[in-house]
Amino acid sequence: MTQASEAVIPTNDMTLVQRRRCGRRFKDQVVKNINPLLKGTGWKRRSDWVFKAEGDWYLTAFITGRTTLQDSMANVLKLQLGIKPMAVDPIYWRALGLHENLKQPLSFRSNAAFKVAALPLATREWSEGLTSVEDATHTLVDALMDIAQDTLREVSSEAFSEIVQKHQDRERYRALRWVSLIAEDKGDIAMDDVKEHYLGKERTPVGHAKMLETIDGFQRVVDGTDVPQNRRLSIDLRGTPT
């Protein structure tokens, strides 16, 4: 008989803590069972991330799991998919002086600290009927394939920098817009936004040295004069330089 400490399905005879652990364990088992279903699809997995290069685009999805908030009596799975042009991470790394990152594997664009956060455009969440790891794995992978195709169609209609600008959380993805503009040969527009963000509308050339270094890094990429060098910058968890 399965012990409560190893269970993945919450039951009435468990404590609240034990039920909550079920949600995390259920997600972990689903993630472990994904790999065989991804074979031949071009998708790869690293930790709780799944990712794929599709032409000029990088698709990345993050999987989370918990139990229902009110009573923790049911498992919950969530899949959030984001997208970004393949060109943007190399531009960002060059701007930060992190040229060595250009040699990193594809997964680095999903779960590395120094990356440009992909723009989230699709989310799926399940909170009912999650009692079979196998069934849930198939459901999640099927949804991944569907929303990935929907997302690719969505970004094909206009410049990606415009899609970022229209996003409800666009302020969180400012750096993504900058590098997207640069990738679209709109470096002057990108630099105007970079300078306004860091220097204000007056463009006063004073401030923290690291801030000025960041501006200079983006300008060098736009000018094509960036070279490998050892630099360390502070950035937040969303990939925005600070």
mmCIF file of all heavy atoms in Angstrom, residues 204-230:
data_model
loop_
_atom_site.group_PDB
_atom_site.id
_atom_site.type_symbol
_atom_site.label_atom_id
_atom_site.label_comp_id
_atom_site.label_asym_id
_atom_site.label_seq_id
_atom_site.Cartn_x
_atom_site.Cartn_y
_atom_site.Cartn_z
ATOM 1 N N THR A 204 19.829 63.179 -19.303
ATOM 2 C CA THR A 204 20.956 63.707 -18.544
ATOM 3 C C THR A 204 22.011 62.612 -18.382
ATOM 4 O O THR A 204 21.742 61.567 -17.792
ATOM 5 C CB THR A 204 20.495 64.187 -17.153
ATOM 6 O OG1 THR A 204 19.439 65.131 -17.330
ATOM 7 C CG2 THR A 204 21.648 64.836 -16.407
ATOM 8 N N PRO A 205 23.228 62.828 -18.873
ATOM 9 C CA PRO A 205 24.251 61.780 -18.858
ATOM 10 C C PRO A 205 24.947 61.626 -17.513
ATOM 11 O O PRO A 205 26.165 61.675 -17.417
ATOM 12 C CB PRO A 205 25.224 62.249 -19.938
ATOM 13 C CG PRO A 205 25.141 63.734 -19.873
ATOM 14 C CD PRO A 205 23.687 64.041 -19.559
ATOM 15 N N VAL A 206 24.165 61.491 -16.467
ATOM 16 C CA VAL A 206 24.740 61.234 -15.148
ATOM 17 C C VAL A 206 23.973 60.084 -14.526
ATOM 18 O O VAL A 206 22.810 59.849 -14.822
ATOM 19 C CB VAL A 206 24.650 62.473 -14.226
ATOM 20 C CG1 VAL A 206 25.493 63.595 -14.792
ATOM 21 C CG2 VAL A 206 23.208 62.925 -14.056
ATOM 22 N N GLY A 207 24.636 59.359 -13.656
ATOM 23 C CA GLY A 207 23.955 58.258 -12.998
ATOM 24 C C GLY A 207 24.944 57.203 -12.553
ATOM 25 O O GLY A 207 26.166 57.372 -12.649
ATOM 26 N N HIS A 208 24.424 56.101 -12.077
ATOM 27 C CA HIS A 208 25.248 55.004 -11.607
ATOM 28 C C HIS A 208 26.097 54.471 -12.759
ATOM 29 O O HIS A 208 25.628 54.325 -13.886
ATOM 30 C CB HIS A 208 24.345 53.902 -11.047
ATOM 31 C CG HIS A 208 25.087 52.875 -10.260
ATOM 32 N ND1 HIS A 208 25.800 51.858 -10.864
ATOM 33 C CD2 HIS A 208 25.235 52.708 -8.928
ATOM 34 C CE1 HIS A 208 26.349 51.098 -9.934
ATOM 35 N NE2 HIS A 208 26.025 51.595 -8.750
ATOM 36 N N ALA A 209 27.353 54.158 -12.480
ATOM 37 C CA ALA A 209 28.268 53.699 -13.523
ATOM 38 C C ALA A 209 27.751 52.456 -14.231
ATOM 39 O O ALA A 209 27.896 52.301 -15.452
ATOM 40 C CB ALA A 209 29.644 53.428 -12.925
ATOM 41 N N LYS A 210 27.127 51.553 -13.476
ATOM 42 C CA LYS A 210 26.616 50.328 -14.069
ATOM 43 C C LYS A 210 25.484 50.627 -15.041
ATOM 44 O O LYS A 210 25.347 49.981 -16.085
ATOM 45 C CB LYS A 210 26.137 49.389 -12.967
ATOM 46 C CG LYS A 210 25.931 47.949 -13.421
ATOM 47 C CD LYS A 210 27.244 47.311 -13.867
ATOM 48 C CE LYS A 210 28.189 47.113 -12.714
ATOM 49 N NZ LYS A 210 29.429 46.414 -13.142
ATOM 50 N N MET A 211 24.675 51.607 -14.736
ATOM 51 C CA MET A 211 23.586 52.007 -15.619
ATOM 52 C C MET A 211 24.140 52.541 -16.930
ATOM 53 O O MET A 211 23.679 52.181 -18.019
ATOM 54 C CB MET A 211 22.736 53.078 -14.936
ATOM 55 C CG MET A 211 21.616 53.644 -15.773
ATOM 56 S SD MET A 211 20.751 54.965 -14.895
ATOM 57 C CE MET A 211 22.017 56.254 -14.914
ATOM 58 N N LEU A 212 25.151 53.397 -16.838
ATOM 59 C CA LEU A 212 25.758 53.958 -18.039
ATOM 60 C C LEU A 212 26.459 52.876 -18.850
ATOM 61 O O LEU A 212 26.478 52.915 -20.087
ATOM 62 C CB LEU A 212 26.740 55.063 -17.657
ATOM 63 C CG LEU A 212 26.139 56.257 -16.903
ATOM 64 C CD1 LEU A 212 27.228 57.259 -16.527
ATOM 65 C CD2 LEU A 212 25.066 56.938 -17.748
ATOM 66 N N GLU A 213 27.022 51.905 -18.165
ATOM 67 C CA GLU A 213 27.680 50.796 -18.841
ATOM 68 C C GLU A 213 26.658 49.972 -19.617
ATOM 69 O O GLU A 213 26.939 49.501 -20.735
ATOM 70 C CB GLU A 213 28.406 49.911 -17.820
ATOM 71 C CG GLU A 213 29.226 48.795 -18.441
ATOM 72 C CD GLU A 213 29.931 47.959 -17.391
ATOM 73 O OE1 GLU A 213 29.706 48.197 -16.183
ATOM 74 O OE2 GLU A 213 30.698 47.063 -17.775
ATOM 75 N N THR A 214 25.470 49.814 -19.049
ATOM 76 C CA THR A 214 24.416 49.074 -19.737
ATOM 77 C C THR A 214 23.998 49.789 -21.012
ATOM 78 O O THR A 214 23.849 49.171 -22.074
ATOM 79 C CB THR A 214 23.195 48.908 -18.809
ATOM 80 O OG1 THR A 214 23.586 48.179 -17.641
ATOM 81 C CG2 THR A 214 22.073 48.169 -19.526
ATOM 82 N N ILE A 215 23.804 51.094 -20.918
ATOM 83 C CA ILE A 215 23.444 51.874 -22.101
ATOM 84 C C ILE A 215 24.520 51.729 -23.173
ATOM 85 O O ILE A 215 24.229 51.498 -24.358
ATOM 86 C CB ILE A 215 23.261 53.362 -21.734
ATOM 87 C CG1 ILE A 215 22.099 53.531 -20.763
ATOM 88 C CG2 ILE A 215 23.034 54.198 -23.001
ATOM 89 C CD1 ILE A 215 21.971 54.938 -20.202
ATOM 90 N N ASP A 216 25.770 51.838 -22.751
ATOM 91 C CA ASP A 216 26.885 51.730 -23.687
ATOM 92 C C ASP A 216 26.934 50.352 -24.333
ATOM 93 O O ASP A 216 27.230 50.217 -25.526
ATOM 94 C CB ASP A 216 28.205 52.009 -22.962
ATOM 95 C CG ASP A 216 29.400 51.986 -23.902
ATOM 96 O OD1 ASP A 216 29.442 52.825 -24.822
ATOM 97 O OD2 ASP A 216 30.278 51.121 -23.721
ATOM 98 N N GLY A 217 26.604 49.314 -23.552
ATOM 99 C CA GLY A 217 26.609 47.964 -24.087
ATOM 100 C C GLY A 217 25.601 47.785 -25.209
ATOM 101 O O GLY A 217 25.914 47.194 -26.259
ATOM 102 N N PHE A 218 24.390 48.299 -25.005
ATOM 103 C CA PHE A 218 23.383 48.220 -26.069
ATOM 104 C C PHE A 218 23.797 49.038 -27.283
ATOM 105 O O PHE A 218 23.590 48.615 -28.428
ATOM 106 C CB PHE A 218 22.030 48.689 -25.544
ATOM 107 C CG PHE A 218 21.277 47.644 -24.781
ATOM 108 C CD1 PHE A 218 21.270 47.635 -23.392
ATOM 109 C CD2 PHE A 218 20.573 46.655 -25.441
ATOM 110 C CE1 PHE A 218 20.591 46.661 -22.686
ATOM 111 C CE2 PHE A 218 19.883 45.674 -24.749
ATOM 112 C CZ PHE A 218 19.893 45.672 -23.367
ATOM 113 N N GLN A 219 24.384 50.213 -27.040
ATOM 114 C CA GLN A 219 24.808 51.056 -28.161
ATOM 115 C C GLN A 219 25.887 50.368 -28.997
ATOM 116 O O GLN A 219 25.889 50.448 -30.231
ATOM 117 C CB GLN A 219 25.323 52.394 -27.637
ATOM 118 C CG GLN A 219 25.635 53.400 -28.750
ATOM 119 C CD GLN A 219 24.374 53.838 -29.471
ATOM 120 O OE1 GLN A 219 23.495 54.461 -28.893
ATOM 121 N NE2 GLN A 219 24.290 53.518 -30.772
ATOM 122 N N ARG A 220 26.792 49.668 -28.341
ATOM 123 C CA ARG A 220 27.848 48.962 -29.062
ATOM 124 C C ARG A 220 27.272 47.857 -29.945
ATOM 125 O O ARG A 220 27.776 47.613 -31.054
ATOM 126 C CB ARG A 220 28.872 48.394 -28.083
ATOM 127 C CG ARG A 220 29.782 49.446 -27.446
ATOM 128 C CD ARG A 220 30.758 48.807 -26.479
ATOM 129 N NE ARG A 220 31.622 49.801 -25.872
ATOM 130 C CZ ARG A 220 32.744 50.263 -26.415
ATOM 131 N NH1 ARG A 220 33.140 49.792 -27.596
ATOM 132 N NH2 ARG A 220 33.464 51.170 -25.798
ATOM 133 N N VAL A 221 26.245 47.179 -29.464
ATOM 134 C CA VAL A 221 25.611 46.147 -30.291
ATOM 135 C C VAL A 221 24.956 46.781 -31.512
ATOM 136 O O VAL A 221 25.080 46.289 -32.636
ATOM 137 C CB VAL A 221 24.577 45.349 -29.476
ATOM 138 C CG1 VAL A 221 23.801 44.394 -30.388
ATOM 139 C CG2 VAL A 221 25.262 44.558 -28.377
ATOM 140 N N VAL A 222 24.255 47.890 -31.288
ATOM 141 C CA VAL A 222 23.617 48.593 -32.402
ATOM 142 C C VAL A 222 24.657 49.043 -33.421
ATOM 143 O O VAL A 222 24.460 48.929 -34.638
ATOM 144 C CB VAL A 222 22.808 49.804 -31.887
ATOM 145 C CG1 VAL A 222 22.319 50.660 -33.060
ATOM 146 C CG2 VAL A 222 21.621 49.330 -31.049
ATOM 147 N N ASP A 223 25.801 49.518 -32.930
ATOM 148 C CA ASP A 223 26.863 50.003 -33.811
ATOM 149 C C ASP A 223 27.715 48.878 -34.395
ATOM 150 O O ASP A 223 28.514 49.110 -35.313
ATOM 151 C CB ASP A 223 27.793 50.964 -33.047
ATOM 152 C CG ASP A 223 27.070 52.225 -32.597
ATOM 153 O OD1 ASP A 223 26.011 52.538 -33.178
ATOM 154 O OD2 ASP A 223 27.557 52.876 -31.647
ATOM 155 N N GLY A 224 27.572 47.673 -33.831
ATOM 156 C CA GLY A 224 28.387 46.553 -34.290
ATOM 157 C C GLY A 224 29.814 46.608 -33.803
ATOM 158 O O GLY A 224 30.717 46.038 -34.421
ATOM 159 N N THR A 225 30.043 47.266 -32.673
ATOM 160 C CA THR A 225 31.408 47.428 -32.164
ATOM 161 C C THR A 225 31.639 46.666 -30.860
ATOM 162 O O THR A 225 32.685 46.845 -30.223
ATOM 163 C CB THR A 225 31.717 48.918 -31.923
ATOM 164 O OG1 THR A 225 30.769 49.461 -30.978
ATOM 165 C CG2 THR A 225 31.634 49.700 -33.225
ATOM 166 N N ASP A 226 30.689 45.843 -30.443
ATOM 167 C CA ASP A 226 30.862 45.093 -29.200
ATOM 168 C C ASP A 226 31.934 44.019 -29.409
ATOM 169 O O ASP A 226 32.062 43.442 -30.477
ATOM 170 C CB ASP A 226 29.555 44.449 -28.769
ATOM 171 C CG ASP A 226 29.051 43.426 -29.776
ATOM 172 O OD1 ASP A 226 28.658 43.859 -30.886
ATOM 173 O OD2 ASP A 226 29.049 42.221 -29.479
ATOM 174 N N VAL A 227 32.703 43.780 -28.360
ATOM 175 C CA VAL A 227 33.740 42.757 -28.395
ATOM 176 C C VAL A 227 33.672 41.968 -27.095
ATOM 177 O O VAL A 227 33.222 42.481 -26.066
ATOM 178 C CB VAL A 227 35.151 43.363 -28.555
ATOM 179 C CG1 VAL A 227 35.292 44.024 -29.917
ATOM 180 C CG2 VAL A 227 35.443 44.361 -27.440
ATOM 181 N N PRO A 228 34.122 40.707 -27.121
ATOM 182 C CA PRO A 228 34.122 39.924 -25.878
ATOM 183 C C PRO A 228 34.934 40.605 -24.797
ATOM 184 O O PRO A 228 36.029 41.100 -25.041
ATOM 185 C CB PRO A 228 34.769 38.597 -26.303
ATOM 186 C CG PRO A 228 34.507 38.505 -27.767
ATOM 187 C CD PRO A 228 34.586 39.923 -28.268
ATOM 188 N N GLN A 229 34.367 40.650 -23.595
ATOM 189 C CA GLN A 229 35.063 41.251 -22.467
ATOM 190 C C GLN A 229 34.439 40.714 -21.184
ATOM 191 O O GLN A 229 33.359 40.123 -21.201
ATOM 192 C CB GLN A 229 34.955 42.771 -22.494
ATOM 193 C CG GLN A 229 33.506 43.277 -22.571
ATOM 194 C CD GLN A 229 33.438 44.777 -22.726
ATOM 195 O OE1 GLN A 229 34.067 45.492 -21.985
ATOM 196 N NE2 GLN A 229 32.660 45.245 -23.699
ATOM 197 N N ASN A 230 35.128 40.896 -20.108
ATOM 198 C CA ASN A 230 34.631 40.430 -18.815
ATOM 199 C C ASN A 230 33.847 41.546 -18.142
ATOM 200 O O ASN A 230 34.420 42.537 -17.708
ATOM 201 C CB ASN A 230 35.788 39.999 -17.916
ATOM 202 C CG ASN A 230 36.498 38.775 -18.461
ATOM 203 O OD1 ASN A 230 35.846 37.875 -18.974
ATOM 204 N ND2 ASN A 230 37.812 38.745 -18.339
#
